[in-house]
Amino acid sequence: MTRTLIVGSGFVGRAVATRLAAAGDSPVLASRHPLTAPPAPWVALDAADATSCARVVDQVLPDRIVLVHGPSDVTWCEANPQRAAELHTAAAANLTAAAPGCRTVLISTDNVFHGDSPANDEKTPTNPANAYGRAKLAAERILAAVPGNTVLRVSLVYGWEPAGSGKWLNFFSACAHNLRRGRPVEAPHDQWTTPVLVQDVAAVTAAVLVGGAPPLLHLGGPDRISRAAWAQAIADSLGAPRSLVLQVPKAVGRYASRPTNTCLTSNRLDSFLAPHRLQVCGVADGIRTLLEAP
C-alpha cells in the first residue's frame, strides 16, 4: 500500500487525503494543530522546523509527499510578507531534504502571475503581484531544483466548508452560507478567476502523484468568470435574489491585493488527464454538484 504524506491539513489537504483513501492509498495528514474527525491519520508537524520534518519522515516513511502547506490567506500574506516567505520556503526546503528521492508534488497558485493577462499557461513568465505569489514562487524554485518533482499550480479552489469554522471561507462557501440566510454579499466585478472544484483538485493531485506528469502543470477551471458574476450564479442556483449580490471594485475590500486575473490556462492538462479519464468541471456543473450533495 502506497503511503502519502500530506503536509497541510486544511481544505485542500483534507480533500486530497479523502480521495487517496478512497482509492486504497494510505494517506497521512501532517500539520501543527490537531484535526477534528480527520479523513486520515494525523501527525504533528512544524514544517518550518527541519528537525520536526526529519522526525515525521522517519515516522511515516512516505513513498510520496504532497505539499499544500503554509498560509494561503492572500490578505494576511500581504500584511506579513517576510513571515509568509519564511513559512513557504522553509517547508519546501525541509521536506525535500528530509526525504531525498521521494516524489513530491507542490500545490502552488495562480498568484505567481501579475494578472495583466486573462490567460496564463505553463510558458507564461512569472511576475507575482503580491507577497503570497512571491512566497509560493520561491517554494516552487526549491522544489523544481530536485528532479522527479511536480509543481501543480491551482486556480481559485472552491467547495463546501462549515459556516462556523472560524476561518475565512472559500468564496463559494462564503457566498452560499450568506445568501441562504438572506444576507448580502460583496463581490468584486473587476477580479476574474478560473475556479476549480476542490474534488477536481484532489483527483488531479492523485493522478499527478502516480507519475507521468510534467515538472510544471496548471489546473484551472474551464470558465473565466468575475467574482460578481460567480456570486450571481450561486444566488440563482439557491433561488436567492440577485439583488443580494453587491457588486463592488476589488480595491475597496479584502481582494485589493489580488491580481485582476487570477486565471490559469494550460497547454498540458488535457493530454495529461486523458489517460486518467478525468475532466475538470465548469462553474455551473460545480455549483450543481455541491448543491446536490448531502
Side-chain angles (χ1 to χ4, degrees), residues 75-198:
T75 304
W76 184 92
C77 291
E78 200 65 13
N80 303 272
Q82 183 173 350
R83 184 58 176 160
E86 290 171 352
L87 292 171
H88 281 282
T89 56
N94 291 340
L95 268 301
T96 52
C102 186
R103 175 157 174 73
T104 302
V105 176
L106 170 68
I107 307 296
S108 191
T109 176
D110 46 22
N111 280 254
V112 298
F113 299 107
H114 192 270
D116 294 333
S117 170
N120 300 293
D121 65 24
E122 290 89 352
K123 294 182 179 180
T124 303
T126 54
N127 182 19
N130 55 38
Y132 176 58
R134 290 190 292 273
K136 276 294 191 183
L137 183 59
E140 284 187 12
R141 288 170 175 163
I142 292 170
L143 201 80
V146 182
N149 293 336
T150 293
V151 171
L152 178 63
R153 290 182 184 146
V154 175
S155 200
L156 184 62
V157 185
Y158 68 98
W160 281 120
E161 291 182 280
S165 64
K167 62 180 286 292
W168 183 262
L169 301 179
N170 72 80
F171 187 77
F172 168 85
S173 282
C175 288
H177 288 310
N178 281 307
L179 291 169
R180 275 181 163 175
R181 291 166 173 78
R183 299 171 182 166
V185 296
E186 290 190 350
H189 57 75
D190 55 353
Q191 206 266 325
W192 298 77
T193 71
T194 46
V196 59
L197 188 65
V198 68

Side-chain angles (χ1 to χ4, degrees), residues 171 185-191 226-228 245-255:
F171 187 77
V185 296
E186 290 190 350
H189 57 75
D190 55 353
Q191 206 266 325
S226 72
R227 287 188 188 255
V245 177
L246 309 179
Q247 299 193 44
V248 297
K250 73 182 180 74
V252 304
R254 65 176 281 114
Y255 299 102

